[in-house]
Amino acid sequence: MERLRKIGLSALILFLSGQIAFAQTPPKPEINPEDLIERLFPIPEDDIDYESIYEVLLQLYLNPINLNRADYESLQASYLLNPNQIESFFKYRDQHGDLISLYELQAIPEFDLVTIELLLPFVTLEEKNQRTKGFWQRLSEEEQAYFIFRHRRVWEQRRGFSPADTSSTGRISSRYLGDPNDLYLRFRIQHARDFSLGFTLDKDAGEQFTWNPTTRRYGFNFFSFHFHRYKVGKWKTLALGDFQASFGQGLVYGAGYTLGKGAETVTTVRRSSVGILPYTAALEFGFFRGAAATYEHRKWEFTALVSYAPRDGRAREALDSLEDTNNLISSFNQSGLHRTPSELATKNQFRELSLGGAIQYKPVSRAQLGATFLHTAFNRSWIPQQRRYNQFEFRGRDNQLGSFYFNYNWKNFLFFGESALSASGGNGTVIGMISSLSPKVDFSLLWRNYGKNFHSFYGNAFAESTRPINERGVYMGLEVRPDKKWKLNAYYDFFRFPWLRFRLYNPSTGYEWLTRLSYRPSRTLNAFVQYREEQKDRNLPDLNEPATPYRSQAIRRRTGLLNLDIQLTKNLFTRSRIWWTGVDFGSNSSNGFMIIQDLRFAREKWKITGRYALFDTDDFDSRIYAFENHVLWTFSIPAFSGQGQRYYLLGEYDLSRKLRLYFRFARTTFTDREKISSGLQEIQGSRQTETTLLLRYYLNR
């Protein structure tokens, strides 16, 4: 009775405060992927695969967590709660049993209104057991069944789409084979913890829309598909088609995404063993194609996978000692672009066989132990051209990789780690800790050591580089909440590269740190100031002098950000931002500046989002990355350099219960140039205009 009284009181408080309307269950807020991903994403860099990160995270959040069935791993994998909150949640559930209403979250110590508001879109208490119906009936009646069609285009003519010309030697210049339209089609039908079925079709701008089995093009240039079943008897997951895997700390299986050094400085340093995931992105690498299954037996989980996937790459002929001519893989093409004859010649040139698995054991609910293994074999030897910096890189036809990992919750501390060994003898190790030192202070610590000969093709562990190789480092993160209005986030990361890197002639060290101070006096106002600094080594330009070809020097980048979000009315939202960058490289210094104003107005059936921005940077080094709103499940963090203005308008409208329309118009106008980009991407003129049209159609609404 006392518990029911508390629930009723919590609901009344929420009702009177206007936070959530009174009901038996709080209305489920709409997920705002842009705000969520911007909060979680790392600081933008050139070489981060944002589309894959966005896609995998989105799929995790589209499957709500049942709080009455959740374990430590599922709550940690959400990145929404700190260790103190997770510990408090399980203590409450152990004492009082299953939650009766989501209003009951108000009664859990350490759960404030901000936390609950953030959590509500991604959790549920409902156990929609439709298993009494047959699978095909559940499939045909599922509401989460939709088609998405997207068209994107840059309207100014790029050089690659112009008529070919002939040089003085008679050589005809290269051009794109296809038209400038970017086409994307997706079908997906899913029910959380039951099934997921879908396919994705994609054609990039410049690629031909053609049926040509010789070049493995069947209309769209790329085709991906998946079929997953969950909780079929003792089988936790059954997967066919394209999939990804995430176990341990990502040294062997990294699931195509990694979080770490961003505004969330504590919870995102740890990876989660979420197991087998559907692959639904349009990127043409980084996934398995075949079958996978996870079997549960008491406290054990056994996962096995087999994959035989095509890979893009460039071949060269080599004459071996027996005078036989063999095709060797000299490089892999991970762009997924097949616009020119040269790019098309790399399409599906090789095959990759993967055999692997994982074993997980949970002796108690707070602990997890596991081991992974992956064997990868190519049908041709991979022999990149020898360079000093890459002499420890993988060479050969096959690779083996295995690891052991652990997670352990002790009071308000979460300890985790993984250590892996590749066939070359190279080792990779990650050890870390996340702790709630007090109700107001969270702390994280992570140490990593990746050997220069550690080879992991699907690894995506915490690292400064894009791959876990040739790196050592220590990361420390801190979050302080002195009261409900203020929050301080900070991290410091020191890293070392023991061997040479691409375009860096010597071993080097570097550091990066960030601090963000946030102020949120109410739900309608949020302000923060952020400063970030990074220092790495870079090669000096080759001046054709004996002393300069093998020298490097530190380059220091500083970035500042002022942000103000105001919810003016229920329907009108405004965001103002000021970016500043400064770069020091030897005796050279450059700076950049950007002012951004966003407006969003929403009604019941439609929403309009707009931006106007001015930017001025001295050079490309002082470029500024700015996150942009886009059409549904499409991602954009463009880099701005030079002088000019940027604006876009994004509209969404419900044409009917089943059909929703998205349209985006974006234009960048430069004031310091009459030519944009270079090579086949070159545009003659000072502006670039892009439109995006997306239609989402639900089958069963």
Side-chain angles (χ1 to χ4, degrees):
M1 190 68 185
E2 175 65 19
R3 185 183 182 194
L4 292 175
R5 187 188 68 80
K6 288 182 179 180
I7 297 171
L9 180 60
S10 298
L12 181 60
I13 292 172
L14 288 169
F15 172 72
L16 294 176
S17 64
Q19 302 294 327
I20 302 173
F22 184 82
Q24 182 62 31
T25 301
K28 193 176 182 66
E30 181 181 353
I31 297 174
N32 189 326
E34 290 81 9
D35 290 345
L36 173 72
I37 300 301
E38 185 178 20
R39 181 178 63 85
L40 293 176
F41 263 19
I43 302 300
E45 297 287 357
D46 277 338
D47 49 10
I48 293 179
D49 174 13
Y50 290 107
E51 285 284 354
S52 183
I53 301 174
Y54 184 80
E55 186 69 29
V56 175
L57 279 177
L58 189 60
Q59 296 310 318
L60 289 176
Y61 287 122
L62 286 177
N63 292 282
I65 301 169
N66 187 323
L67 291 177
N68 288 329
R69 302 292 177 264
D71 55 15
Y72 280 85
E73 182 66 19
S74 60
L75 291 185
Q76 290 158 1
S78 71
Y79 303 112
L80 299 172
L81 300 174
N82 62 44
N84 200 32
Q85 291 170 327
I86 294 174
E87 181 70 15
S88 183
F89 170 81
F90 283 107
K91 281 184 178 179
Y92 182 88
R93 202 176 71 176
D94 290 342
Q95 293 174 0
H96 300 285
D98 287 353
L99 276 69
I100 300 173
S101 166
L102 288 175
Y103 286 119
E104 202 169 346
L105 294 173
Q106 273 282 104
I108 301 176
E110 314 304 334
F111 277 57
D112 55 21
L113 290 177
V114 174
T115 299
I116 295 172
E117 184 182 87
L118 183 65
L119 194 63
L120 282 179
F122 311 111
V123 298
T124 183
L125 301 180
E126 299 178 7
E127 191 68 42
K128 293 182 179 179
N129 188 3
Q130 296 181 330
R131 298 290 179 115
T132 54
K133 302 178 182 179
F135 170 70
W136 294 109
Q137 185 178 356
R138 301 199 307 272
L139 193 69
S140 63
E141 295 176 354
E142 176 56 44
E143 288 188 0
Q144 290 296 319
Y146 58 84
F147 279 98
I148 285 179
F149 172 76
R150 187 186 69 199
H151 171 274
R152 290 193 293 188
R153 177 167 177 165
V154 172
W155 290 94
E156 289 77 14
Q157 186 182 64
R158 297 191 186 274
R159 185 166 178 262
F161 299 108
S162 65
D165 48 34
T166 305
S167 67
S168 58
T169 61
R171 183 175 179 271
I172 300 176
S173 59
S174 178
R175 291 293 186 269
Y176 294 147
L177 299 171
D179 58 62
N181 297 304
D182 182 326
L183 303 177
Y184 173 92
L185 179 66
R186 170 193 281 185
F187 169 74
R188 183 83 182 271
I189 178 170
Q190 65 172 350
H191 189 88
R193 297 174 296 280
D194 190 359
F195 58 82
S196 178
L197 169 67
F199 62 81
T200 301
L201 302 170
D202 181 66
K203 183 198 87 72
D204 295 308
E207 295 177 339
Q208 282 182 303
F209 192 89
T210 182
W211 189 276
N212 190 334
T214 303
T215 55
R216 301 173 181 87
R217 291 178 295 170
Y218 306 94
F220 289 87
N221 184 76
F222 176 69
F223 172 65
S224 175
F225 63 96
H226 77 273
F227 175 58
H228 284 219
R229 287 291 312 275
Y230 304 99
K231 300 294 183 181
V232 182
K234 290 287 187 178
W235 296 97
K236 179 181 179 180
T237 306
L238 296 170
L240 290 174
D242 297 343
F243 60 91
Q244 292 180 305
S246 177
F247 294 98
Q249 295 307 302
L251 288 176
V252 179
Y253 298 104
Y257 75 97
T258 175
L259 296 175
K261 294 190 285 187
E264 289 297 319
T265 54
V266 175
T267 59
T268 55
V269 299
R270 176 188 175 271
R271 308 292 177 262
S272 297
S273 297
V274 294
I276 304 299
L277 296 169
Y279 182 75
T280 57
L283 298 166
E284 300 183 29
F285 67 95
F287 61 90
F288 298 106
R289 175 166 291 179
T294 298
Y295 183 80
E296 293 180 304
H297 179 68
R298 296 179 181 175
K299 298 180 179 181
W300 293 84
E301 286 186 8
F302 304 90
T303 298
L305 66 87
V306 57
S307 169
Y308 192 57
R311 292 290 179 256
D312 290 358
R314 208 165 287 282
R316 62 182 175 88
E317 292 186 351
L319 200 64
D320 64 19
S321 59
L322 299 178
E323 302 297 326
D324 290 330
T325 299
N326 299 307
N327 286 326
L328 303 178
I329 308 173
S330 60
S331 64
F332 281 95
N333 175 19
Q334 294 189 339
S335 71
L337 298 174
H338 307 100
R339 303 164 299 182
T340 65
S342 177
E343 291 176 348
L344 187 58
T346 68
K347 184 174 175 59
N348 294 356
Q349 289 299 302
F350 308 100
R351 286 280 175 173
E352 176 191 283
L353 173 67
S354 298
L355 301 172
I359 299 175
Q360 288 190 161
Y361 174 60
K362 291 184 178 180
V364 292
S365 61
R366 299 171 179 268
Q368 182 185 73
L369 300 173
T372 67
F373 175 78
L374 180 62
H375 168 81
T376 304
F378 303 100
N379 63 342
R380 298 285 187 272
S381 294
W382 183 2
I383 310 294
Q385 190 170 0
Q386 186 80 23
R387 293 286 188 270
R388 286 194 67 190
Y389 73 86
N390 71 358
Q391 61 181 282
F392 295 102
E393 288 280 2
F394 172 80
R395 282 177 169 78
R397 185 169 289 197
D398 56 72
N399 182 52
Q400 293 80 39
L401 182 67
S403 77
F404 292 95
Y405 63 89
F406 73 93
N407 299 299
Y408 180 68
N409 288 85
W410 179 70
K411 296 185 177 179
N412 295 332
F413 290 82
L414 167 62
F415 301 94
F416 57 89
E418 183 176 18
S419 186
L421 185 69
S422 62
S424 62
N427 175 262
T429 301
V430 176
I431 297 176
M433 174 198 75
I434 298 175
S435 172
S436 292
L437 302 178
S438 76
K440 296 183 178 182
V441 180
D442 298 333
F443 176 74
S444 63
L445 176 67
L446 183 139
W447 173 82
R448 75 265 193 193
N449 184 5
Y450 310 133
K452 59 188 176 183
N453 61 336
F454 177 62
H455 304 143
S456 177
F457 301 138
Y458 291 90
N460 214 348
F462 186 103
E464 172 64 21
S465 305
T466 55
R467 297 182 299 145
I469 186 172
N470 184 35
E471 180 177 328
R472 297 173 186 171
V474 177
Y475 172 97
M476 293 176 289
L478 183 70
E479 181 174 305
V480 182
R481 301 173 298 276
D483 58 36
K484 294 181 179 181
K485 297 179 181 180
W486 292 90
K487 183 170 71 170
L488 174 68
N489 292 87
Y491 71 74
Y492 181 85
D493 187 37
F494 175 81
F495 43 85
R496 179 172 179 264
F497 306 110
W499 186 245
L500 284 62
R501 305 175 71 206
F502 180 59
R503 293 181 177 174
L504 186 57
Y505 299 133
N506 52 269
S508 61
T509 61
Y511 68 84
E512 180 181 337
W513 64 274
L514 174 144
T515 182
R516 174 186 282 197
L517 180 63
S518 303
Y519 176 63
R520 184 173 179 173
S522 67
R523 293 181 66 249
T524 60
L525 190 148
N526 180 38
F528 67 80
V529 56
Q530 175 179 296
Y531 179 84
R532 173 190 177 236
E533 183 173 308
E534 179 189 43
Q535 181 171 299
K536 293 181 183 178
D537 284 357
R538 177 196 283 184
N539 282 347
L540 289 171
D542 188 352
L543 302 177
N544 294 320
E545 297 177 3
T548 59
Y550 299 103
R551 291 179 56 199
S552 63
Q553 196 168 43
I555 179 170
R556 185 165 65 109
R557 290 189 176 91
R558 292 154 290 138
T559 305
L561 170 61
L562 291 172
N563 181 91
L564 177 63
D565 296 346
I566 304 177
Q567 189 76 44
L568 296 173
T569 68
K570 178 182 177 181
N571 299 321
L572 182 61
F573 170 85
T574 177
R575 169 175 290 163
S576 305
R577 284 188 169 180
I578 300 175
W579 284 95
W580 168 82
T581 61
V583 180
D584 298 321
F585 185 42
S587 59
N588 298 321
S589 296
S590 59
N591 295 280
F593 193 76
M594 190 171 190
I595 301 175
I596 297 173
Q597 181 60 57
D598 292 342
L599 287 172
R600 183 169 67 227
F601 187 77
R603 297 298 295 268
E604 184 177 347
K605 288 189 175 183
W606 55 272
K607 180 169 68 174
I608 295 178
T609 304
R611 165 174 294 182
Y612 182 77
L614 294 171
F615 58 92
D616 186 349
T617 74
D618 294 336
D619 52 28
F620 186 71
D621 278 341
S622 55
R623 64 194 178 276
I624 296 174
Y625 292 89
F627 185 95
E628 295 186 346
N629 295 90
H630 218 297
V631 300
L632 183 70
W633 300 343
T634 306
F635 193 79
S636 177
I637 302 186
F640 297 95
S641 62
Q643 294 83 44
Q645 61 179 344
R646 168 76 168 179
Y647 57 89
Y648 66 78
L649 192 65
L650 170 64
E652 308 173 27
Y653 182 68
D654 285 327
L655 298 173
S656 68
R657 288 189 62 205
K658 292 188 173 184
L659 185 61
R660 188 170 181 86
L661 168 70
Y662 299 77
F663 182 76
R664 185 177 189 261
F665 176 91
R667 172 171 288 175
T668 304
T669 303
F670 294 90
T671 58
D672 64 338
R673 69 195 68 177
E674 293 300 325
K675 181 177 70 174
I676 301 174
S677 195
S678 60
L680 296 183
Q681 289 290 93
E682 179 183 300
I683 295 173
Q684 289 294 329
S686 60
R687 73 182 188 186
Q688 179 175 316
T689 307
E690 178 185 8
T691 61
T692 307
L693 171 69
L694 185 142
L695 292 169
R696 179 179 63 177
Y697 179 76
Y698 280 97
L699 273 68
N700 297 323
R701 285 193 176 181

